[in-house]
């Protein structure tokens, strides 16, 4: 996965192997070996790569593209994949989204909408704290 992710991010940023090698103070051959899976960078170079491409180290190393994924998201941004709307409008939030945003059974969620930007979901307690902050 790492090698595929490195290739994808490098091409997305329109950076050649040579340019990336210069930024990391390694040879172009080293970048080529990382991209072919012959070797892996040390943790320090991995950290620099993640910062350079503005992704988490975890996503750089472990992100697995699926038919519905949009590619590696920027650090702190998420595309959780596709959910299907049931007959009564219900959706199931992906486990990763529930974990990251600490959403648990019984939590109340506020559904917000903007016709030009789409739908957003926020925990009721976070929404009320935001309203309190804005009004106080």
């Amino acid at each position: 996965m790492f090698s595929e992710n490195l290739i994808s991010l490098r091409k997305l940023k329109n950076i050649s192997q040579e340019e990336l090698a210069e930024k990391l103070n390694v040879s172009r051959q080293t970048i080529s070996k990382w991209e072919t899976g012959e070797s892996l960078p040390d943790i320090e170079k991995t950290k620099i790569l993640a910062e350079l491409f503005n992704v988490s180290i975890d996503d750089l190393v472990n992100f697995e593209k699926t038919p519905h994924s949009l590619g590696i998201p920027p650090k702190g941004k998420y595309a959780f994949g596709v959910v299907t709307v049931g007959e009564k409008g219900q959706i199931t939030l992906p486990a990763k989204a529930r974990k990251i945003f600490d959403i648990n059974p019984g939590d109340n969620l506020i559904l917000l909408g903007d016709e030009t930007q789409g739908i957003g979901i926020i925990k009721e307690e976070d929404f009320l704290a935001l309203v309190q902050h804005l009004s106080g």
Side-chain angles (χ1 to χ4, degrees):
M1 284 181 277
F2 170 79
S3 60
E4 294 168 8
N5 293 338
L6 180 58
I7 292 167
S8 173
L9 289 166
R10 182 178 60 74
K11 289 182 177 181
L12 183 67
K13 294 278 189 178
N14 201 25
I15 299 172
S16 69
Q17 285 184 341
E18 188 69 40
E19 291 167 324
L20 184 58
E22 287 176 24
K23 292 177 186 288
L24 295 167
N25 200 26
V26 297
S27 69
R28 187 206 55 77
Q29 290 81 2
T30 297
I31 301 297
S32 177
K33 286 182 181 182
W34 294 347
E35 290 186 355
T36 60
E38 288 182 52
S39 66
L40 291 169
D42 62 33
I43 194 67
E44 198 57 41
K45 297 292 186 203
T46 304
K47 181 180 172 189
I48 294 168
L49 283 165
E51 289 171 1
L52 177 69
F53 293 121
N54 191 33
V55 298
S56 70
I57 292 174
D58 184 51
D59 279 339
L60 176 62
V61 174
N62 296 313
F63 181 83
E64 193 167 346
K65 189 166 174 72
T66 66
H68 297 295
S69 65
L70 302 173
I72 301 172
K75 190 174 185 179
K77 310 290 185 199
Y78 303 93
F80 294 107
V82 175
V83 296
T84 301
V85 179
E87 286 185 29
K88 295 182 180 180
Q90 71 275 26
I91 62 169
T92 300
L93 299 176
K96 185 174 180 180
R98 294 190 312 265
K99 181 179 178 186
I100 289 170
F101 293 102
D102 191 30
I103 298 171
N104 299 294
D107 285 350
N108 290 324
L109 304 175
I110 305 288
L111 188 65
L112 304 170
D114 180 301
E115 289 183 4
T116 61
Q117 295 186 37
I119 295 174
I121 299 173
I122 186 170
K123 288 176 72 171
E124 179 184 39
E125 61 196 51
D126 295 336
F127 180 74
L128 295 175
L130 177 63
V131 169
Q132 183 70 27
H133 174 75
L134 294 174
S135 63

